[in-house]
Amino acid sequence: MSVLPDPGATRAVLIGTSHYDHLESLPAVSNNLTALAEALTGPTSWTLPQEHCTILSNPTTAEMTMAAVRAAAEQARDTVLIYFAGHGLVDPEGDLYLAMPQSKQQRVETGLPYRWIRQALLNGRADRCVVVLDCCYSGLALGTMGGPSDLADQAAVEGTFLLTAAAETRQALAPPDETFTAFTGELLGTLQTGIPNGPELIDFGVLYRHLRIRLAAKGRPDPQARDRNTGARLALGRNLACLPTTTTTFSTDGEPATGRAWPSPLGIRTVRGFFKSLADVRVTSGLTHQMVSQRSVGRISPGTVSRLLNRESLPKTWHTTAAYLSACGVPDQQVAEWQAVWTRLLTDTTTDAAPHNTVTQPPQGPTTLQRLAGKVSWRNSRN
């Protein structure tokens, strides 16, 4: 079953080098970073708080980059995502290293060895690790996940997924007159428009297969992927091509039609994740706030639904949340699972707050999505 991560326990680090002193500059890499951050903090993807999504544009040193990667790997409990866009270079031993602004060909000391990122993830505490590399020769990174040094085995994580823009011998493309790189542009396009007749959640396994088909149809390099355990089941976002409309299908007895893949509460770790998943329930149901209220038979008003989904602290009683879930059509068994998660989180926050006589508040939500304007011309390929 595909799952979205808990945004309160997830971290992302987006790294991109668009300006080089000794290599061809890649100006639209900055567009990649802005748009991907917008997606990850948006309502149809991970809904990450702004402070949980770090952007490193043209980092000046490998040390600066690794500090951000290590911090994210140490802080994340659910998922950590590392993304890189820029030149990919190969050292004399045939290993991949990521080019920084001052990097030079055949000068490994001027770049960032990919194995350093891998080691930082090994030392982290996240249940799931995702690495996305949009650079030339990025397929070389696949070799570091196999054999006795396998990332998922050594770190004992639930799932690991590595997605690369090209094979170990191929260059990644930056087509002219396109805003993004070939690979990242296709990835963003998938999140923005969805996959027709696809599943409700776009997990990394589905995303990889869709990208291969789309990029192959355009004559562009085939992306590569490697996953361990349940890494491929981690979802990057909701499939906008199959989201319910403002109306939903009901059976003859007036109940919502069965067969919906309700968001599971079992992976929730934080208060922010609790409310994010509650909002996802309404999206899955296809009901408006008014319709949820009507189906609750007067137990909750439309305003109560809105206030519930926009809270920053857990309600001290359960009945409003239970009425909301039941009105949306969530089965009784899952409502009981939600109540168990609510009880655990309420106990945790009360315990944490007791020494200070205060209740811990989750971080504020993301700001309104920004839109990119304009297009950047690219050359045909990146070295």
Side-chain angles (χ1 to χ4, degrees):
M1 178 180 177
S2 300
V3 294
L4 286 163
D6 183 330
T10 295
R11 301 292 188 275
V13 180
L14 311 182
I15 310 161
T17 306
S18 58
H19 174 75
Y20 290 93
D21 294 340
H22 308 287
L23 303 171
E24 178 187 358
S25 289
L26 305 170
V29 162
S30 60
N31 291 347
N32 286 10
L33 299 180
T34 302
L36 187 55
E38 180 179 311
L40 291 173
T41 58
T44 59
S45 182
W46 287 0
T47 320
L48 291 182
Q50 297 287 343
E51 63 270 22
H52 289 187
C53 185
T54 300
I55 298 177
L56 294 179
S57 181
N58 296 305
T60 55
T61 65
E63 180 181 9
M64 169 187 176
T65 305
M66 288 307 303
V69 172
R70 290 193 184 96
E74 292 169 359
Q75 295 167 6
R77 296 295 181 272
D78 188 314
T79 300
V80 57
L81 179 148
I82 307 299
Y83 168 90
F84 173 79
H87 286 298
L89 304 174
V90 183
D91 69 13
E93 285 72 39
D95 293 330
L96 175 69
Y97 68 102
L98 312 179
M100 300 286 101
Q102 296 81 30
S103 291
K104 299 179 180 180
Q105 291 278 6
Q106 305 302 318
R107 297 289 182 88
V108 65
E109 70 275 11
T110 63
L112 172 61
Y114 172 73
R115 67 178 182 273
W116 292 3
I117 291 179
R118 174 184 169 276
Q119 189 60 48
L121 297 180
L122 283 172
N123 295 334
R125 293 182 285 180
D127 284 343
R128 290 177 284 248
C129 302
V130 178
V131 178
V132 180
L133 302 177
D134 188 357
C135 61
C136 299
Y137 319 118
S138 48
L140 287 169
L142 297 171
T144 65
M145 292 181 65
S149 61
D150 182 84
L151 175 60
D153 290 343
Q154 285 198 16
V157 296
E158 178 186 337
T160 302
F161 199 88
L162 174 60
L163 182 62
T164 70
E168 64 270 20
T169 59
R170 294 292 304 275
Q171 295 181 340
L173 297 183
D177 302 322
E178 294 188 15
T179 307
F180 310 108
T181 61
F183 172 78
T184 297
E186 205 66 54
L187 184 153
L188 291 168
T190 301
L191 289 178
Q192 292 166 359
T193 62
I195 302 174
N197 303 314
E200 292 183 17
L201 294 178
I202 301 177
D203 63 38
F204 278 95
V206 169
L207 176 65
Y208 166 61
R209 292 188 290 273
H210 180 73
L211 291 178
R212 283 186 65 90
I213 294 171
R214 294 281 300 175
L215 290 167
K218 297 179 180 180
R220 297 176 175 180
D222 291 333
Q224 307 293 307
R226 178 75 60 84
D227 73 276
R228 286 291 180 267
N229 299 324
T230 59
R233 299 177 187 173
L234 176 66
L236 186 58
R238 291 193 165 275
N239 186 359
L240 297 188
C242 71
L243 281 180
T245 62
T246 55
T247 60
T248 189
T249 302
F250 294 91
S251 59
T252 55
D253 60 1
E255 292 298 314
T258 59
R260 292 197 185 279
W262 295 105
S264 172
L266 299 181
I268 296 173
R269 296 166 177 266
T270 65
V271 173
R272 179 177 289 276
F274 183 84
F275 289 114
K276 166 65 167 61
S277 292
L278 271 186
D280 287 344
V281 167
R282 189 194 64 78
V283 172
T284 301
S285 72
L287 300 170
T288 64
H289 290 192
Q290 181 70 37
M291 295 170 69
V292 172
S293 175
Q294 292 172 351
R295 287 188 47 75
S296 74
V297 195
R299 287 180 293 172
I300 50 177
S301 67
T304 300
V305 174
S306 178
R307 288 191 294 273
L308 174 65
L309 300 183
N310 288 282
R311 291 179 62 101
E312 293 187 347
S313 61
L314 289 170
K316 296 302 184 292
T317 59
W318 172 245
H319 64 272
T320 298
T321 308
Y324 164 79
L325 291 168
S326 296
C328 286
V330 176
D332 291 343
Q333 180 179 352
Q334 275 204 329
V335 173
E337 293 174 352
W338 277 92
Q339 185 174 11
V341 172
W342 169 79
T343 301
R344 170 173 56 80
L345 291 174
L346 189 63
T347 301
D348 290 345
T349 54
T350 302
T351 301
D352 291 343
H356 308 286
N357 296 319
T358 59
V359 177
T360 301
Q361 299 290 330
Q364 295 181 355
T367 58
T368 303
L369 298 180
Q370 300 176 346
R371 295 183 178 275
L372 288 176
K375 293 199 172 184
V376 179
S377 297
W378 282 69
R379 298 190 181 181
N380 287 325
S381 64
R382 305 202 308 267
N383 293 324

